[in-house]
Amino acid sequence: MYLVQTNVKTLPSYFVLMYSVSEIAKQCNGRLYGPPNLKVEAFMTDSRQQSIAPHTLFVALVTERTNAHRFLPELKNKVKAFLVSSLPENYLTWGEDVAFVVVNHTLSALQQLAAHHRSQFKIPVIGITGSNGKTVVKEWLYQLLQNDFNICRSPKSYNSQLGVPLSVLKLNATHTLALFEAGISKPDEMDLLQTIIRPNIGVLTSFGEAHSEGFKNASQKLNEKLKLFPQAEKLVINGIEKNLLPASLTQGALLIGVENATLQFNYTLKEHETLLQVNTATEAFSLHIPFTDKAAIYNAVTCVGVLLQLGLNPKNYTERFKTLQAVALRLEVKNGIQQSIVINDFYNSDLNAIGIALDFLNQQHRKASKIAIVSDIEEHGPNKTELYAQLQLLLQQAKVDLLIGVGAEISRHRSVFNTKAFFFESTSDFILQFPAYSFLFQNASILLKGARRYGFERISSLLQLKSHDTVLEINLNHLTHNVNYYRGLLKKETLLMGMVKATAYGNGSSEIATTLQHIGVNYLAVAYADEGVELRQANIHLPIMVMSPERDAWADIIQFQLEPEIYSFAILQQLLTHLSQQALNAPFPVHIKVDTGMHRLGFEPQDLDELLKQLTSTSLVRVQSVFSHLVASDNAELDAFSQHQLATFNAFAQALEARLGYTVIKHICNSGGISRFKTAHLDMVRLGIGMYGVGVSVQEQKQLQNVSRLRTSISQIKMVKAGDTVGYNRNGKALVDTRIATLPIGYADGFARALGNGRHAVYINGWACYTIGNICMDMCMVDVSGVVCEEGDEVIVFETTEQLQGLAQHLNTIAYEVLTGISGRVKRVYVQE
C-alpha cells in the first residue's frame, strides 16, 4: 500500500489510500492475472453504475439470486481491475493493462481487504448498531461533530455485510474520526463486521422487535448485536438493563433509558421542541432539540452519551443540538414542470452523498438532459479548490449536462467547473432569478442535492408539478425486494418478464420500468402499443412485448421495436402486410399466444398446422416466444385444470419449436404460477401483481412488501349537530354531535362511491375513521369524533397490503382493480431509501 502525498496539510478530504492489485491479491489470498502495479482507489459492485471513478476495482459478487460475473463483458472497456472468483472467457484479449484478482469468494475477499484497511488507522472509530435509530444517530453525530473532526461515515444506511466493507474502505489519511453502522439479520454476521469496524467506542441505539425474523429469541439477538463491542473501550447502551449485559461490557458503559441508568434524563415537551435535562455522575445540564417525538429524544440522548465518551463537554454543543436536522432516509422522485422529473435529496451535501445521488439520477434518467442543483459542500478539508475539483469529476463521470451551484462557496469556485454551469449566492437568489432560467428545465432529469440549511424544499416546490394533496407513494426499494423474492424461486437460467401494463398496475409505467431495467429484469410486457412507445421515449431499451396489438398500431410497433403478441391469423397477416413494406435487416420478433383454456385470445391447439405453414413460409418474422395464460394459478381447487393447461401448452410448444427448427422462449406462469407451479417455470415467467406486493397465500404475503401507499390530508374539520346530515341526499345522519373531517379524495381519484356511508375507514394518526355520507367526486367526509387531529394532518387510505385488500373486499373486487383505478390526477411520488 502506498500514499501519494508530499504534504498532508494540502490533501483534500476525499483523498484515499491506494492499493496495487498485487497488494490486494496478497491481502485476499488471491491469484493475480495482469500487471501487478495497477493502482486501485475505489470499489464498485454494480455493473450498471454509470459514474466510474479512475482506478476503480469491480467486485463480481455471487449471491443466491445473481452472479455478477455474467456482467463482466459490459465493463470490458470501462474498468481495468477486477476481483473475481472465475476468469471470463478470452480474458487475455482484454488488454495488457487489465488485471484480475481471482479468489474463492469475492465478498469474503472484500471483507478481508476492508479489515486490513481498517488496521492502518489509529483514530477514534465509533461502531453503531441497534434495532432502530442507527442511521439517525450516525447522521446527528456527524452534524454535531463535523466542525471539530474530519469524519468518515457510512453512506446512507450502508450497514450490511457488503455496506460495511465499502464504508470502511473510504477511510483515508485525512480522517480524524469514523462513524460506521452495523446491521445484522441472523446469527454470526456481527462477528465478521466486528473484525472490519473494530470500534473503540460502541453504541447500541435501541433494542426491539425490528429485524427479529432471523433469530430464535430476543436474547440471542441481543447477544449477537453485542458482539460488535468486545474491543470497545467505551460504550453507550440504550434501553438494556445492566444485568442483561456481559460483565466485560459494563465497565465504562453509559447506560440510558433504564432504571439504574448512568446517564439519566428528563424531558419537557414544548410546541415544536423538547427541553432535555441530563444528569451524569458528575454534572447536570440542559439541551433543546427541535423535535418532540420519543424516538428523537432517545436518539439525542444517545448522542450526548457519545460526546461524553469522546471526552467532549455536551454543554459546548448546545447551539448545535438546537439546530439538529431531520434525517431524510430516502430519495423522492416527482413529476416536474415542463415534462421534467425532480429528484429530491436535500439532506446533506458531502461528496459521498453526492456520488450516491448522482448514481440514482443516472438510474432514473429518462429525459433529454441531466441537471444537478448542488449547494455548497458540507465537508471540511484544508483545500476547498480540490474538493470542488472532485465534485467536477463526479459530474463529469455522471455525464451531467448542467450544474446549478447554490451558495457563496461553490460560486467562488466556479472556475473549477468545466461542466456548463450557473451560480447563485443563495437559494433566495436562485428563486428570484428563476423566471429567466426556467427554459433550462424543459424535459430534464433534475437532481436537488443540498444541505438542509439551504432550504432546497423551496426550489423543489418551484420545480415540481402542482397537484392536489392526494398522493400515491411508490416505494422502489419494496418493488426491488419483491422482484428479488420471486427471483429466489427461479432457476438461475430462467428469464423474468415484468408486467407494466395499465401504467404498471397504476403505479406509473415509465418509473417502474426504469427500476426494473436497472435491477436486471429481462423483458417487459404492456397491453397496448402506446404504452410501449411511452417506455421507449423514457429510454427503456429492454425488449417489450405488446399483448394486445391493434390494427392502427403496426407503424409504432415497428418504429419503436416493440414485439407483438400474435394471437390470430388475422393479426399475423396484418403484421406481415406492414412488414413487407419495410426494409428490414432481420426477421421481426413475435410472440405466439396459445389458448389453453382462458378462451380470451390465442390460437387453439387445432390451429397448429396452419400456423406453422404460415410462419415457415415467410422470412419476415421470427418467433421469439410461445406462451399461454393460467386461468386459476392461485386457486388450489382448480389445480387439475391448471395441470391440463400445462399439458396442452407443453404439447403445442414442443411441436411448434420442433417444426420451426429453432429454440423459442416458452412461458406460462404468472405471479401465482411462479409460487405454486415451480416445475412449470420453463424458460421465462411473467411477474405481475406479486411484484407490487400482493401474494397468493398468507405465507407468501409475509415475504412481500407493499409497494404503494395512498395518502391524502384533512382539508377542514367541523362539528355537525345531532340530527343534522352530511353530504348529498342527506345520507350521512349524525345521531349525536359529530366531528367530521373533509378529505380531498373522491370517486374521481379512485375512492369509489361504494365506500361511503360508513362502509370503509381511512386512518388518521393511527385511528380508523369511517366515512359519513356519500363519497363525492372530489371529496369525502369521515367521522373523527374522539380522534386527536387537526386540519392538514396526513390521512392514510392504505399503506399495507392488508389495508389494500380490505378496501378491495369492501368494493367486492380485487387489489388489481383498486390499484389500476387510482386516477391519473393523483400525484405519483417515487421513493428510494
Side-chain angles (χ1 to χ4, degrees):
M1 182 184 67
Y2 75 102
L3 184 61
V4 180
Q5 69 176 81
T6 55
N7 182 351
V8 173
K9 292 182 180 179
T10 65
L11 282 173
S13 60
Y14 57 81
F15 191 81
V16 296
L17 292 167
M18 295 180 71
Y19 289 89
S20 67
V21 287
S22 61
E23 272 195 287
I24 291 175
K26 178 182 177 182
Q27 295 299 330
C28 300
N29 301 315
R31 302 183 305 280
L32 175 63
Y33 297 81
N37 294 323
L38 192 66
K39 304 305 175 187
V40 171
E41 64 176 22
F43 302 84
M44 63 180 286
T45 59
D46 189 343
S47 62
R48 299 158 298 190
Q49 182 176 321
Q50 295 189 31
S51 304
I52 302 177
H55 309 296
T56 289
L57 178 139
F58 177 74
V59 183
L61 297 174
V62 179
T63 70
E64 294 179 358
R65 294 179 176 134
T66 189
N67 184 340
H69 289 77
R70 63 191 178 98
F71 304 119
L72 292 178
E74 300 174 14
L75 298 169
K76 184 174 180 180
N77 298 315
K78 300 177 181 178
V79 177
K80 298 296 183 183
F82 298 86
L83 183 63
V84 298
S85 54
S86 61
L87 290 166
E89 293 183 9
N90 304 317
Y91 74 93
L92 291 174
T93 66
W94 285 40
E96 296 180 357
D97 59 343
V98 178
F100 296 90
V101 177
V102 183
V103 295
N104 292 330
H105 191 278
T106 50
L107 177 58
S108 296
L110 183 70
Q111 293 166 337
Q112 283 179 249
L113 180 63
H116 166 73
H117 188 68
R118 165 66 181 91
S119 71
Q120 309 301 301
F121 295 88
K122 307 298 181 184
I123 62 173
V125 173
I126 299 174
I128 306 170
T129 190
S131 299
N132 301 103
K134 295 184 293 293
T135 302
V136 172
V137 167
K138 179 201 67 184
E139 293 297 327
W140 280 2
L141 287 172
Y142 178 80
Q143 291 179 33
L144 292 165
L145 297 171
Q146 62 179 318
N147 292 331
D148 306 311
F149 297 88
N150 191 17
I151 301 174
C152 177
R153 74 191 194 279
S154 308
K156 298 288 182 180
S157 299
Y158 277 35
N159 57 33
S160 66
Q161 297 291 306
L162 174 61
V164 168
L166 290 176
S167 300
V168 170
L169 284 166
K170 292 182 178 294
L171 271 171
N172 68 62
T174 68
H175 289 128
T176 56
L177 178 71
L179 305 169
F180 296 129
E181 292 182 48
I184 56 173
S185 58
K186 59 185 179 181
D188 302 324
E189 288 185 332
M190 191 63 86
D191 295 287
L192 190 52
L193 298 185
Q194 189 278 330
T195 65
I196 300 171
I197 299 174
R198 292 172 54 199
N200 37 46
I201 297 178
V203 180
L204 180 69
T205 59
S206 64
F207 184 73
E209 291 299 318
H211 318 297
S212 296
E213 298 83 1
F215 301 95
K216 293 179 183 177
N217 50 47
S219 178
Q220 183 190 46
K221 178 182 170 184
L222 175 61
N223 289 333
E224 290 294 328
K225 287 188 177 294
L226 294 177
K227 287 181 179 180
L228 181 60
F229 307 135
Q231 296 179 9
E233 301 162 8
K234 298 179 180 180
L235 294 173
V236 179
I237 305 290
N238 197 335
I240 301 296
E241 295 287 354
K242 185 176 181 179
N243 65 333
L244 296 177
L245 297 171
S248 60
L249 295 184
T250 57
Q251 264 193 330
L254 281 178
L255 303 183
I256 300 171
V258 292
E259 185 176 347
N260 295 312
T262 49
L263 178 61
Q264 297 184 346
F265 69 95
N266 294 303
Y267 60 88
T268 303
L269 298 179
K270 300 188 176 182
E271 186 174 0
H272 298 296
E273 65 176 12
T274 300
L275 171 64
L276 289 174
Q277 288 143 336
V278 183
N279 296 282
T280 69
T282 58
E283 61 180 328
F285 52 89
S286 60
L287 300 167
H288 288 83
I289 61 170
F291 305 96
T292 58
D293 61 287
K294 190 173 182 179
I297 292 167
Y298 275 83
N299 288 336
V301 176
T302 301
C303 291
V304 170
V306 175
L307 296 182
L308 290 168
Q309 295 292 47
L310 279 169
L312 303 172
N313 189 341
K315 290 191 291 187
N316 297 332
Y317 290 81
T318 54
E319 291 303 314
R320 297 184 198 176
F321 273 99
K322 283 182 182 178
T323 57
L324 281 176
Q325 298 165 357
V327 177
L329 298 179
R330 59 189 188 179
L331 300 153
E332 287 187 338
V333 183
K334 299 182 177 181
N335 289 322
I337 61 172
Q338 302 182 70
Q339 291 79 52
S340 66
I341 60 169
V342 180
I343 300 171
N344 290 330
D345 187 15
F346 33 73
Y347 163 64
N348 55 25
S349 63
D350 58 279
L351 284 174
N352 281 338
I354 292 171
I356 292 170
L358 287 171
D359 283 339
F360 187 71
L361 171 65
N362 278 323
Q363 175 189 327
Q364 290 295 318
H365 178 55
R366 51 188 178 272
K367 299 294 182 178
S369 63
K370 284 183 277 190
I371 299 174
I373 303 178
V374 181
S375 74
D376 290 346
I377 296 176
E378 282 195 331
E379 188 165 335
H380 294 273
N383 193 321
K384 291 291 187 180
T385 299
E386 293 193 43
L387 194 68
Y388 285 98
Q390 183 69 0
L391 173 58
Q392 165 57 36
L393 181 61
L394 290 174
L395 296 171
Q396 183 177 327
Q397 292 164 354
K399 299 179 181 177
V400 170
D401 299 293
L402 175 66
L403 166 68
I404 304 291
V406 177
E409 188 176 90
I410 194 172
S411 298
R412 283 198 301 271
H413 290 88
R414 65 183 67 206
S415 62
V416 169
F417 296 96
N418 298 323
T419 301
K420 180 181 177 182
F422 297 97
F423 296 91
F424 302 87
E425 289 292 316
S426 66
T427 299
S428 296
D429 185 28
F430 171 80
I431 292 172
L432 183 65
Q433 299 187 53
F434 176 75
Y437 293 90
S438 60
F439 70 94
L440 296 170
F441 301 98
Q442 175 73 38
N443 197 26
S445 299
I446 307 165
L447 170 66
L448 290 179
K449 186 62 182 153
R452 191 66 91 165
R453 64 189 176 92
Y454 287 86
F456 272 20
E457 296 91 340
R458 296 162 61 200
I459 298 179
S460 177
S461 178
L462 194 67
L463 291 174
Q464 73 184 52
L465 200 62
K466 301 300 183 288
S467 60
H468 74 118
D469 289 341
T470 300
V471 171
L472 183 67
E473 189 177 281
I474 297 101
N475 191 307
L476 300 179
N477 295 91
H478 291 181
L479 177 77
T480 300
H481 167 88
N482 295 340
V483 171
N484 286 336
Y485 164 75
Y486 285 101
R487 271 182 173 153
L489 303 179
L490 307 177
K491 295 179 180 178
K492 291 182 179 180
E493 62 271 18
T494 304
L495 303 177
L496 182 62
M497 174 182 280
M499 307 301 293
V500 292
K501 61 181 182 176
T503 62
Y505 292 51
N507 290 288
S509 54
S510 60
E511 292 82 3
I512 297 297
T514 297
T515 298
L516 296 180
Q517 178 171 270
H518 181 73
I519 63 177
V521 166
N522 308 100
Y523 246 96
L524 299 176
V526 297
Y528 298 104
D530 55 353
E531 295 176 317
V533 171
E534 179 187 343
L535 296 184
R536 287 285 183 253
Q537 292 173 337
N539 293 324
I540 301 299
H541 54 72
L542 287 176
I544 299 172
M545 180 173 76
V546 178
M547 304 187 76
S548 300
E550 298 172 303
R551 66 174 64 249
D552 295 331
W554 296 116
D556 282 342
I557 287 173
I558 295 169
Q559 178 185 348
F560 290 94
Q561 296 181 303
L562 307 176
E563 301 180 7
E565 169 188 316
I566 301 300
Y567 56 83
S568 70
F569 294 114
I571 287 291
L572 177 59
Q573 289 305 313
Q574 287 177 26
L575 175 60
L576 293 175
T577 298
H578 279 81
L579 290 175
S580 66
Q581 300 166 9
Q582 309 291 320
L584 299 176
N585 297 322
F588 202 78
V590 298
H591 300 261
I592 301 300
K593 176 68 177 291
V594 186
D595 183 358
T596 58
M598 177 73 81
H599 298 320
R600 188 169 60 180
L601 295 174
F603 292 99
E604 304 280 348
Q606 60 267 26
D607 295 329
L608 179 61
D609 289 339
E610 179 61 25
L611 176 62
L612 280 163
K613 179 180 177 181
Q614 295 192 26
L615 290 173
T616 55
S617 65
T618 179
S619 60
L620 293 174
V621 297
R622 179 183 176 89
V623 177
Q624 188 74 4
S625 86
V626 57
F627 72 104
S628 189
H629 196 87
L630 294 174
V631 170
S633 63
D634 57 351
N635 189 342
E637 294 180 1
L638 295 175
D639 279 357
F641 189 78
S642 295
Q643 293 294 344
H644 167 73
Q645 283 191 275
L646 292 171
T648 302
F649 174 71
N650 285 333
F652 190 104
Q654 290 168 11
L656 178 77
E657 191 174 59
R659 290 165 65 180
L660 284 174
Y662 55 83
T663 302
V664 301
I665 298 170
K666 296 170 285 295
H667 52 109
I668 192 170
C669 282
N670 53 10
S671 295
I674 297 172
S675 302
R676 301 192 63 250
F677 295 94
K678 295 179 182 178
T679 60
H681 290 171
L682 306 177
D683 303 311
M684 184 162 69
V685 296
R686 303 187 302 273
L687 182 55
I689 193 67
M691 181 163 61
Y692 304 103
V694 180
V696 296
S697 66
V698 173
Q699 292 76 17
E700 181 170 86
Q701 195 60 62
K702 293 178 181 178
Q703 304 298 319
L704 301 176
Q705 296 178 353
N706 191 49
V707 170
S708 306
R709 179 177 186 261
L710 183 59
R711 59 180 167 86
T712 186
S713 62
I714 298 176
S715 299
Q716 187 179 24
I717 294 175
K718 59 176 58 181
M719 291 298 301
V720 177
K721 292 181 179 180
D724 209 341
T725 60
V726 177
Y728 285 115
N729 294 317
R730 306 198 70 190
N731 279 343
K733 292 181 172 60
L735 301 180
V736 296
D737 288 354
T738 303
R739 188 170 181 248
I740 68 164
T742 301
L743 316 178
I745 183 171
Y747 59 78
D749 302 296
F751 197 68
R753 291 186 78 247
L755 299 173
N757 297 298
R759 297 188 189 96
H760 188 69
V762 297
Y763 301 89
I764 302 175
N765 297 329
W767 293 80
C769 302
Y770 284 84
T771 57
I772 181 169
N774 291 349
I775 305 297
C776 309
M777 179 183 290
D778 310 302
M779 289 173 283
C780 68
M781 288 68 74
V782 296
D783 186 344
V784 293
S785 301
V787 176
V788 178
C789 61
E790 58 187 34
E791 293 175 0
D793 278 2
E794 183 178 71
V795 179
I796 302 299
V797 180
F798 64 79
E799 62 180 352
T800 67
T801 304
E802 291 74 21
Q803 291 170 354
L804 172 62
Q805 297 279 36
L807 195 156
Q809 186 177 2
H810 289 158
L811 290 171
N812 195 29
T813 185
I814 55 177
Y816 298 70
E817 183 176 349
V818 173
L819 291 173
T820 57
I822 297 172
S823 166
R825 78 176 185 180
V826 173
K827 179 168 61 176
R828 269 67 172 173
V829 174
Y830 301 87
V831 299
Q832 179 157 319
E833 297 172 2

